[in-house]
């Protein structure tokens, strides 16, 4: 297949590209290589795929309407994976407009491209952040998610709503994937594993928010990418049992599905830190701080729908995933 991947230089985008190329698909990747974090890391990810004969890279912003219209018209992808987004809960407190530009305007351009070019399936990244103020654990795709706690989460919820509208109006098959705290080699420098590893190795104290009382459903990058690829192949169909009297948020009478992709095993933050200390062989200096605005104290994914429909369950143990990350970090940064 010919697959368009937005955010192809990103953490998940690059690994998904590698997997699709390895199985013989053609990949068109687009990324604006913005400076939200180290551009050289994004370029290094791209370097792992850019010379592949079935990979083509386009540098550009998905919020650029003209560019996206031209890209879709010229490339005519069969399937699209939208992974481009302004990420990060805390940064969305400081710079909300960048989230609307990328996550709302950009996503609309992707939807329009799919609509007018007969794309067979759009898979898009949502986030566990959409669960917001929900406290019933584990988080289920059948719960309503109407109380986001950050503008980032609100834009991801808007993506799900916009996607459903296109599935309903135009019959565009769409699948949304709510990712739960993705980690692993080539990860984002603003994520806790990257920050903690860097500071522990340099002997600096780490900031432990919510006084260490967080728990997260950490999900290894290989599991996330495998879930994305399998979802690309699983075209959503209207749910024959869907009822407007008791509407299921995860499905529809249109070709629309929402899935959680999480490890289904939440890890306490202090246990997470202990695992990093073990992998590095050095104890962290800890600076305990209160809960940050916009943060969710805990995440825990119910993945029953993913297992039943897509036939996949993430299974990488946290100790193994962290060990692989620390090994990659030391090799990549020569420390």
């Amino acid at each position: 297949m010919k697959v368009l991947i937005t955010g192809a230089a990103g953490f998940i985008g690059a690994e998904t590209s590698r997997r699709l190329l390895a199985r013989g698909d053609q990949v068109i990747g687009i990324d604006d290589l913005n400076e939200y974090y180290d551009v050289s890391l994004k370029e290094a990810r791209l370097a792992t795929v850019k010379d592949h004969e079935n990979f083509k890279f386009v540098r550009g912003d998905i919020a650029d309407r003209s560019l996206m219209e031209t890209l879709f018209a010229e490339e005519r992808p069969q399937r699209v994976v939208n992974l481009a987004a302004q990420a990060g809960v805390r940064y969305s407190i400081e710079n909300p407009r960048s989230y609307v530009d990328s996550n709302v305007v950009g996503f609309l351009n992707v939807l329009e491209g799919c609509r007018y070019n007969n794309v067979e399936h759009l898979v898009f990244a949502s986030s566990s952040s959409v669960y917001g103020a929900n406290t019933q654990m584990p988080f289920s795709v059948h719960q309503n998610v109407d109380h986001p706690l950050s503008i980032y989460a609100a834009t991801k919820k808007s993506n799900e709503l916009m996607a459903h509208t296109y599935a309903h109006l135009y019959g565009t098959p769409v699948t949304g994937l709510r990712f739960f705290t993705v980690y692993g080699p080539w990860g984002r420098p603003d994520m806790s594993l990257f920050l903690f590893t860097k500071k522990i190795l340099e002997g600096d104290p780490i900031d432990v928010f919510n006084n260490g009382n967080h728990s997260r459903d950490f999900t290894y990058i290989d599991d996330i990418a495998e879930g994305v690829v399998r979802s690309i192949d699983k075209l959503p169909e209207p749910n024959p049992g869907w009822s407007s009297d008791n509407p299921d948020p995860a499905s529809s009478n249109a070709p629309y599905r929402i899935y959680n992709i999480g490890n289904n095993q939440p890890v306490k933050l202090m246990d997470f830190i202990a695992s990093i200390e073990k992998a590095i062989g050095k104890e962290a200096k800890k600076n305990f701080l209160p809960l940050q605005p916009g943060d969710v104290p805990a995440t825990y994914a119910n993945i029953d729908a993913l297992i039943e429909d897509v036939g996949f369950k993430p299974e990488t143990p946290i100790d193994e995933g962290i060990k692989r990350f620390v090994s990659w970090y030391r090799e990549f940064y020569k420390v």
Side-chain angles (χ1 to χ4, degrees):
M1 295 183 293
K2 180 185 279 193
V3 183
L4 170 64
I5 297 184
T6 72
F11 181 26
I12 301 171
E15 179 59 29
T16 302
S17 296
R18 285 191 285 271
R19 284 175 180 256
L20 291 174
L21 291 168
R23 74 175 197 175
D25 290 328
Q26 185 177 356
V27 175
I28 312 299
I30 181 171
D31 200 297
D32 66 353
L33 298 174
N34 66 47
E35 297 183 355
Y36 171 63
Y37 64 80
D38 185 11
V39 175
S40 66
L41 176 58
K42 299 178 182 182
E43 291 173 337
R45 293 189 192 120
L46 272 180
T48 65
V49 295
K50 69 177 184 179
D51 293 331
H52 196 289
E53 61 181 1
N54 285 332
F55 183 80
K56 177 180 179 180
F57 180 68
V58 176
R59 182 166 184 172
D61 187 346
I62 64 169
D64 184 334
R65 177 177 172 181
S66 177
L67 170 66
M68 294 300 286
E69 288 175 348
T70 301
L71 180 63
F72 271 92
E74 290 182 351
E75 297 297 341
R76 307 286 294 186
Q78 293 162 276
R79 307 201 180 175
V80 176
V81 184
N82 184 65
L83 299 170
Q86 177 57 58
V89 168
R90 291 168 191 161
Y91 184 63
S92 72
I93 308 293
E94 306 165 23
N95 195 358
R97 293 184 185 278
S98 66
Y99 287 75
V100 174
D101 290 343
S102 180
N103 302 4
V104 179
V105 176
F107 189 59
L108 178 62
N109 290 335
V110 171
L111 286 167
E112 285 283 89
C114 292
R115 169 192 174 189
Y116 284 108
N117 294 278
N118 299 313
V119 168
E120 297 170 0
H121 189 195
L122 166 63
V123 175
F124 66 95
S126 185
S127 166
S128 61
S129 297
V130 301
Y131 288 102
N134 290 21
T135 55
Q136 183 179 343
M137 300 280 182
F139 291 145
S140 167
V141 291
H142 304 297
Q143 297 173 6
N144 284 313
V145 286
D146 292 331
H147 297 88
L149 299 180
S150 66
I151 196 69
Y152 169 67
T155 62
K156 287 300 184 180
K157 171 68 186 288
S158 77
N159 286 173
E160 297 180 2
L161 298 174
M162 293 163 71
H164 181 266
T165 303
Y166 273 68
H168 170 73
L169 290 174
Y170 312 115
T172 305
V174 292
T175 298
L177 303 176
R178 293 174 179 168
F179 298 140
F180 280 67
T181 315
V182 189
Y183 76 101
W186 301 99
R188 289 191 352 238
D190 62 326
M191 297 294 283
S192 59
L193 177 56
F194 204 111
L195 290 168
F196 290 170
T197 298
K198 181 176 187 294
K199 290 192 173 185
I200 293 170
L201 285 169
E202 293 174 354
D204 295 329
I206 63 174
D207 290 338
V208 183
F209 292 105
N210 200 28
N211 295 304
N213 294 317
H214 273 336
S215 66
R216 287 286 181 270
D217 205 341
F218 293 99
T219 315
Y220 191 62
I221 180 61
D222 289 22
D223 290 328
I224 289 286
E226 180 68 17
V228 172
V229 171
R230 293 201 191 196
S231 296
I232 294 169
D233 295 338
K234 176 67 176 179
L235 270 67
E237 296 180 354
N239 178 4
W242 192 86
S243 168
S244 57
D245 291 331
N246 184 26
D248 171 22
S251 63
S252 173
N253 54 9
Y256 171 86
R257 284 292 190 281
I258 296 290
Y259 298 109
N260 288 333
I261 300 190
N263 209 42
N264 194 225
Q265 293 181 349
V267 175
K268 293 180 180 178
L269 180 56
M270 296 310 295
D271 292 338
F272 180 69
I273 293 169
S275 186
I276 301 171
E277 292 171 329
K278 180 181 176 182
I280 293 175
K282 184 178 181 181
E283 187 175 349
K285 302 172 186 175
K286 302 173 185 72
N287 181 26
F288 289 95
L289 297 168
L291 183 69
Q292 287 279 91
D295 265 2
V296 181
T299 63
Y300 177 9
N302 178 315
I303 56 172
D304 290 349
L306 181 74
I307 295 169
E308 183 177 347
D309 293 356
V310 184
F312 177 66
K313 178 182 180 182
E315 291 185 337
T316 304
I318 189 73
D319 286 345
E320 178 61 28
I322 287 175
K323 185 169 70 172
R324 292 178 193 172
F325 171 81
V326 170
S327 177
W328 168 83
Y329 184 95
R330 283 181 148 152
E331 182 178 350
F332 187 78
Y333 289 102
K334 305 292 188 285
V335 292

